[in-house]
Every structure is written in structure tokens, then in C-alpha cells.
Amino acid sequence: MKIIKKRIRTTAHTQLLDVTAAVNDAVKNAGVKSGLAVVWVPHTTAAVTVNENADPDVKSDISREINKIVPWEDGYRHVEGNSAAHLKASLFGAAETLLIEDGRLALGTWQDVYFAEFDGPRTREIWIKIFPDDPA
Amino acid sequence: MKIIKKRIRTTAHTQLLDVTAAVNDAVKNAGVKSGLAVVWVPHTTAAVTVNENADPDVKSDISREINKIVPWEDGYRHVEGNSAAHLKASLFGAAETLLIEDGRLALGTWQDVYFAEFDGPRTREIWIKIFPDDPA
Amino acid sequence: MKIIKKRIRTTAHTQLLDVTAAVNDAVKNAGVKSGLAVVWVPHTTAAVTVNENADPDVKSDISREINKIVPWEDGYRHVEGNSAAHLKASLFGAAETLLIEDGRLALGTWQDVYFAEFDGPRTREIWIKIFPDDPA
């Protein structure tokens, strides 16, 4: 199945943007009942992660704390000045391998899938590739 | 192949619990000789990781150091008070994609698969989904 | 398809070594047009990551900053003295799930795949397993 590319728009410098519905739409449109969905972030200053979907304070705490741990200014040599975002991208990861069951993502009760923006706001993409398997 | 759900019990606040045997049992029971096993952690304050299986000091060093890097108290706003565990879950990751060859996980000599507890002790689950392929 | 094992040689204590061409060679030799390539690092003091392929300062900034965040000396108990490398391996991750389309890795414009050495220089391996799917 071909890669499905979706454009998204982040609105802050650091942001966890919920993309669960976009991925579930791709799964549903593909008509896949069981399998894998790999979400790929084709950028090097952003990532994909899974975290809590209930209290929005979790998102802001994660954003604030990772920015304390990986400071924006720290004598980096990279001329674009966004080396901190590059490191955060590697720590969170460019890909998430998600399970599909009963025609939708199999997530824990409190889990959603987030695009993790570390150098926004920007227009970004997520790539989704779906692998059906035999549910038997 | 349907998701296999296994219940586990963690016994400390931060803990790396070896789940290699549990995943290998699932692979063996499925009768799969070659393929992928995705281990999914359906929680947002725990993760899955791969690390050393020999000296137990590695596990305790990893636990202690990640707790220094992401301090438990740091002015977080999330009312449950476990935002540090949420960030650690995103840094370690909710999924591990493991290779299967010759009917078992293909791991390096020193590698085992660990459930990474960051807000225990709790009763937890791991979900395992196996994708057979043609070994030829 | 069987796991393809490639030997690599790192030349520094901390190093991001580009392995994109090695993985693309494996994909090409397998004759796979569409699917997944899982890159597995069978070591516990190294990892695989995806990051910028243009300015080499990004690689050195990432290496320097992760070594500041996870200091080499910090009262660790592990007798080999490389616990920092073990933690960095878990933070970056042992596996990367890459997409294949049109007979090669589907990467963003600025993305390459890197072997992340945290306790070199050493002779290392990467394992590559390719899963073809139907591109239709």
C-alpha cells in the first residue's frame, strides 16, 4: 500500500499536535482490519510520539521539561541555530510503529499519537504506511 | 495474527523488568519462524526498551541516571504529579520492533527486552503482535 | 527474507556514522519496490537514529550535547564504566523502522540514517530485515 502523505500545520515553537484521528482516517480509508501503521516524520527537527490524551497539562509539562533538558542555546556550531531541535528529534524518534486491530489503531485507554514539533511553527508532513495482515 | 496481551507486575517506582522470555513464548506459541514482533506498551508512564542482560548494575544505573536527568519534582502543572514519568515514556518509546529468525527473537549477545516502569509499582500490560514473513 | 548483517567500523568514542547507503544497497539487492526495512543494532552501547544529512555540525552538536546531558562519569556502579552509553542507547533506540517506496528508502529531503556509537571506536554490526508489501 502506498505511503499516505498528510500536511499539518504547527502553531508554536514546541508543540505536541494530536494526529490520532488523521492516522485512524487513513486506516479506515484503507479498509484494513488488522495490521501495522507506521507513522513517519520526514523532518529532522520534529518527531512522533505517543502520550496522554486527557489532561493537556501533560503536553505542556513535556514540552517545557524537554526544553530545559536540551537547552536551545548551548554553544552549538550548526549555523541554523536549531541543534537542540535536532537532538530532541532523535530522542523522540522519527517513526512510530502502531498496531491495527478491529479496523482502527489499538491504543491504551489514555494514549494518543502526537506530532512533536521542536522548531515551529511550520507546515509539516506526516507519512503513513499501512501493512495489512491476516487477523486470524 | 491477533494481538497477544500479557499482564505483568512491576515492584518498584522505576524498574526495568525483563520481558524477553514472555515475548519469545508468544513467538514460539505462534509457530512463527521468521518475521517481526512488535511489543507495544499501552500506558503513558511506562515504555519498552532493549539493553544489557548481564550485569544488573546497568539497569540500576540507567534507572538512577534517567531520574536525575528528568527530575520527579520540577514545577509541573499536571495534577497527578507524574509528568516526569510521561516524558520518560516518550524518550524511551511505547513500541519496540523486534526481529524474528529461526523461531525466536534475533537479539545481540548482550541484549534483552525490558518493560520500563516509570511510575510503579503497578499492574501493567504488554501487547505483542507478530507478523510472519517468508524466511526464504 | 533473512536478516542481512553488515559489519561497520566506528572511529570515535561518540559518533553518528551514516549507514543510509548500506541500507539502500540491501533494499536494492533484495529487489524490493515497496515495504519496510527494519534496521536493528545488536549492541547495548550504540543505537540507530535518523537526522540531518547536510551540515556536519549537526552531528557534532548532537554528540556533544547528549554527552553533556548524560555525563560519562556520574557515580555509576556498572564495572565496565560505560553506563552512560547504555542509557544513551535506550534513549536513541535499538531499532528504526524505515519505509521503502520506488525501490529505495522513503526519507525526507534532509534525512539520513545513522549508526549512533556511544562507546567506540569499535567494530560493530547493523542488521537489516526487509518486508516487501504490495505497492498497489
Side-chain angles (χ1 to χ4, degrees), chain A residues 76-130:
Chain A
Y76 304 112
R77 290 186 292 189
H78 179 42
V79 68
E80 290 183 74
N82 59 357
S83 285
H86 285 284
L87 175 53
K88 286 178 270 190
S90 276
L91 294 174
F92 277 62
E96 197 71 66
T97 303
L98 303 160
L99 308 183
I100 301 169
E101 200 161 77
D102 300 326
R104 54 185 288 117
L105 297 178
L107 296 169
T109 308
W110 307 104
Q111 289 182 316
D112 266 2
V113 184
Y114 292 94
F115 181 90
E117 174 65 82
F118 297 120
D119 192 21
R122 295 195 193 210
T123 300
R124 299 286 206 174
E125 283 187 5
I126 56 170
W127 297 355
I128 303 162
K129 192 167 164 85
I130 296 171

Side-chain angles (χ1 to χ4, degrees), chain B residues 35-121:
Chain B
L36 278 187
V38 177
V39 176
W40 181 263
V41 169
H43 309 289
T44 57
T45 55
V48 55
T49 194
V50 171
N51 220 297
E52 159 147 346
N53 55 21
D55 180 1
D57 282 345
V58 173
K59 290 191 289 180
S60 56
D61 283 346
I62 288 174
S63 298
R64 197 174 50 90
E65 190 67 16
I66 191 65
N67 286 339
K68 284 180 68 168
I69 293 167
V70 186
W72 189 257
E73 304 274 359
D74 202 18
Y76 305 112
R77 291 186 290 189
H78 178 41
V79 67
E80 290 184 73
N82 60 357
S83 285
H86 284 284
L87 175 51
K88 286 178 270 190
S90 276
L91 293 174
F92 278 62
E96 196 72 67
T97 303
L98 303 159
L99 307 183
I100 301 169
E101 199 160 78
D102 300 326
R104 53 185 290 117
L105 296 178
L107 296 169
T109 308
W110 307 105
Q111 289 181 318
D112 267 2
V113 184
Y114 292 95
F115 181 90
E117 173 65 82
F118 297 121
D119 192 20

Side-chain angles (χ1 to χ4, degrees), chain C residues 82-131:
Chain C
N82 60 357
S83 286
H86 285 283
L87 174 53
K88 285 178 271 190
S90 277
L91 293 174
F92 278 62
E96 197 71 68
T97 304
L98 303 159
L99 308 183
I100 301 169
E101 198 161 79
D102 300 327
R104 53 183 291 116
L105 296 178
L107 296 168
T109 308
W110 307 104
Q111 288 182 316
D112 267 2
V113 184
Y114 292 94
F115 181 89
E117 174 66 82
F118 296 122
D119 192 21
R122 295 195 192 209
T123 300
R124 299 287 206 174
E125 283 188 5
I126 56 170
W127 295 356
I128 303 163
K129 191 167 165 84
I130 297 172
F131 293 81

